[in-house]
Amino acid sequence: AAKQRGRNCFQYFTREMQEEAVTRMQLIADLRRGVSEHQFVLYYQPQVLMVDRSISKAEALIRWQHPSKGLVMPDEFISTAEESNLILPIGRWVLEEASKTVQMLQQHYDPDFQLSVNISPIQFESLDSNISTWLQQLSSMGLSGQSVVAEITEGMMMSRSAEIREKMNAFKTAGVQVALDDFGTGYSSLAYISEYDIDYLKIDQYFVKNLTLSSDAYMLCKAIIMMAHNLGIKVVAEGIETEQQHRLLLDLGCDYGQGYLYSKAVDLGAFEQLLHDQRLPAE
Ligand code: C2E
Ligand code: MG
Ligand code: MG
Ligand code: MG
């Protein structure tokens, strides 16, 4: 009986693993098709100036319009896209699409409008000249490097390869600003912040979620903001959902806020409407 059960367990285990592998292969096949059939779309989430809540920037966030699953969120496919290197064509598309959007928004709403894009470490590490092609494209579109902010994560700075350093330098030379995303959750070393020329620190939503006046999160946010400002770095808080969180971060001197309190990520049409409404004189 034991042997019987053992064999069943074994079979069950392998079947589960097999199903997982099949699901993953299916996802990769779907993603590949998504790339060739242009199934991706960018949504835009406002980043507001804390002092008056005006929209001064936005972050571009990818969504996948899957033919049968509907709108798929990035957490469900970005890591598989990274493992399969499909993040390279996807990332290239994101950069192209973001460039077109920022060009249009600058023409119609604000010549200084800035758009943040998330850059995967794979895009940095690859020998594929993804990034430099994109920088050339920006200038050929008449866009200054200042038009975009590259959001990178701490993990990327840990591999101190010459390529990463070289690409970071290419960004800075082109005038592209750099934001350190999800700050405080990775294996951060404060040394990286001064070693690389960072323009923005994005406080991870984890700290914002736990924010009350007497919380540890409050002390951490306070310390992060003070440190950043002393280094000449601006701070963006992510995941602001309540008035209390807004108030506490405003009082701590946080520069920009991003979160459902102001707006979730919306499609380009809805985002334009937000910019349009903001230009109407207040009653
Ligand atoms: P992220 O770059 O840290 O983006 C912020 C995420 O927090 C977004 O999730 C946003 O919708 C969500 N968020 C914003 N405000 C709030 C809030 O108040 N409450 C809560 N609960 N969530 C909020 P999203 O769009 O699902 O993206 C998840 C992650 O996927 C991003 O995290 C980023 O790491 C990755 N990602 C998104 N677009 C791209 C892309 O184009 N390329 C790459 N490589 N990664 C991307
Ligand atoms: Mg981001
Ligand atoms: Mg983040
Ligand atoms: Mg994140």
Side-chain angles (χ1 to χ4, degrees), residues 59 118 151 181-183 202-205 238:
E59 178 173 6
N118 293 284
E151 294 199 3
D181 206 353
D182 304 339
F183 183 73
K202 297 192 76 177
I203 300 180
D204 193 79
Q205 10 191 312
E238 281 193 301

Side-chain angles (χ1 to χ4, degrees), residues 64-79:
W64 179 15
Q65 275 167 332
H66 191 280
S68 57
K69 292 187 209 156
L71 203 65
V72 182
M73 301 299 278
D75 285 339
E76 291 180 49
F77 66 88
I78 289 292
S79 62

Side-chain angles (χ1 to χ4, degrees), residues 37 53 55 65 85 98 140-142 202 233 235 241 244 281:
E37 298 188 1
R53 301 187 192 211
I55 301 171
Q65 275 167 332
N85 275 341
S140 74
M141 289 171 78
K202 297 192 76 177
I233 298 170
V235 181
E241 293 185 355
Q244 192 201 18

Side-chain angles (χ1 to χ4, degrees), residues 178 193-194 196-201 225 227-235 255:
V178 174
I193 296 172
S194 56
Y196 293 93
D197 190 0
I198 302 293
D199 300 285
Y200 300 94
L201 267 189
I225 293 167
M227 174 199 68
H229 285 170
N230 284 331
L231 292 168
I233 298 170
K234 294 235 171 13
V235 181
D255 304 282

Side-chain angles (χ1 to χ4, degrees), residues 147-162:
S147 309
V148 280
V149 177
E151 294 199 3
I152 61 168
T153 52
E154 293 164 305
M156 173 131 69
M157 295 193 296
M158 288 180 51
S159 59
R160 297 147 161 262
S161 78

Side-chain angles (χ1 to χ4, degrees), residues 42 45 59-63 73-75 78 82 87 91 94 118-120 123 151 153 181-182 202 204-205 238-241 258-261 263-265:
L42 290 183
Q45 185 176 35
E59 178 173 6
L61 294 159
I62 197 169
R63 269 89 182 104
M73 301 299 278
D75 285 339
I78 289 292
E82 286 175 332
I87 195 67
V94 168
N118 293 284
I119 311 229
S120 160
Q123 287 175 272
E151 294 199 3
T153 52
D181 206 353
D182 304 339
K202 297 192 76 177
D204 193 79
Q205 10 191 312
E238 281 193 301
I240 299 176
E241 293 185 355
Q258 184 178 345
Y260 296 167
L261 177 65
S263 172
K264 60 183 175 39

Side-chain angles (χ1 to χ4, degrees), residues 16-270:
E16 200 171 64
M17 276 173 58
Q18 204 179 320
E19 277 167 9
E20 223 175 87
V22 168
T23 306
R24 192 172 163 278
M25 274 157 56
Q26 183 63 51
L27 179 56
I28 293 173
D30 273 13
L31 275 171
R32 191 164 286 129
R33 188 164 177 172
V35 171
S36 62
E37 298 188 1
H38 310 285
Q39 293 168 354
F40 299 98
V41 60
L42 290 183
Y43 272 38
Y44 302 90
Q45 185 176 35
Q47 295 178 330
V48 306
L49 205 56
M50 289 298 283
V51 290
D52 61 5
R53 301 187 192 211
S54 62
I55 301 171
S56 63
K57 308 168 195 294
E59 178 173 6
L61 294 159
I62 197 169
R63 269 89 182 104
W64 179 15
Q65 275 167 332
H66 191 280
S68 57
K69 292 187 209 156
L71 203 65
V72 182
M73 301 299 278
D75 285 339
E76 291 180 49
F77 66 88
I78 289 292
S79 62
T80 302
E82 286 175 332
E83 286 159 20
S84 60
N85 275 341
L86 282 167
I87 195 67
L88 294 176
I90 294 172
R92 203 177 301 129
W93 175 82
V94 168
L95 295 175
E96 248 175 66
E97 186 71 9
S99 312
K100 288 182 203 158
T101 297
V102 76
Q103 185 180 45
M104 186 276 283
L105 294 174
Q106 286 185 352
Q107 278 168 5
H108 289 83
Y109 301 92
D110 173 3
D112 298 321
F113 194 86
Q114 262 188 338
L115 192 59
S116 286
V117 283
N118 293 284
I119 311 229
S120 160
I122 312 286
Q123 287 175 272
F124 257 82
E125 282 156 16
S126 120
L127 292 173
D128 170 302
S129 60
N130 213 338
I131 306 281
S132 52
T133 310
W134 176 57
L135 293 175
Q136 281 163 17
Q137 189 192 330
L138 275 182
S139 70
S140 74
M141 289 171 78
L143 290 166
S144 80
Q146 290 271 352
S147 309
V148 280
V149 177
E151 294 199 3
I152 61 168
T153 52
E154 293 164 305
M156 173 131 69
M157 295 193 296
M158 288 180 51
S159 59
R160 297 147 161 262
S161 78
E163 272 140 49
I164 288 180
R165 195 174 293 276
E166 193 188 296
K167 283 178 180 169
M168 285 287 275
N169 287 339
F171 270 159
K172 301 312 290 192
T173 307
V176 172
Q177 294 186 310
V178 174
L180 191 50
D181 206 353
D182 304 339
F183 183 73
T185 55
Y187 299 90
S188 36
S189 156
L190 296 179
Y192 297 130
I193 296 172
S194 56
E195 197 177 320
Y196 293 93
D197 190 0
I198 302 293
D199 300 285
Y200 300 94
L201 267 189
K202 297 192 76 177
I203 300 180
D204 193 79
Q205 10 191 312
Y206 174 80
F207 298 105
V208 176
K209 195 185 296 164
N210 295 307
L211 204 58
T212 57
L213 195 54
S214 58
S215 60
D216 289 350
Y218 182 80
M219 294 312 294
L220 287 167
C221 286
K222 188 176 177 177
I224 292 170
I225 293 167
M226 210 189 300
M227 174 199 68
H229 285 170
N230 284 331
L231 292 168
I233 298 170
K234 294 235 171 13
V235 181
V236 185
E238 281 193 301
I240 299 176
E241 293 185 355
T242 68
E243 286 296 338
Q244 192 201 18
Q245 291 161 352
H246 173 87
R247 166 56 52 189
L248 291 171
L249 287 159
L250 176 68
D251 289 346
L252 287 176
C254 181
D255 304 282
Y256 300 95
Q258 184 178 345
Y260 296 167
L261 177 65
Y262 320 106
S263 172
K264 60 183 175 39
V266 293
D267 65 30
L268 184 56

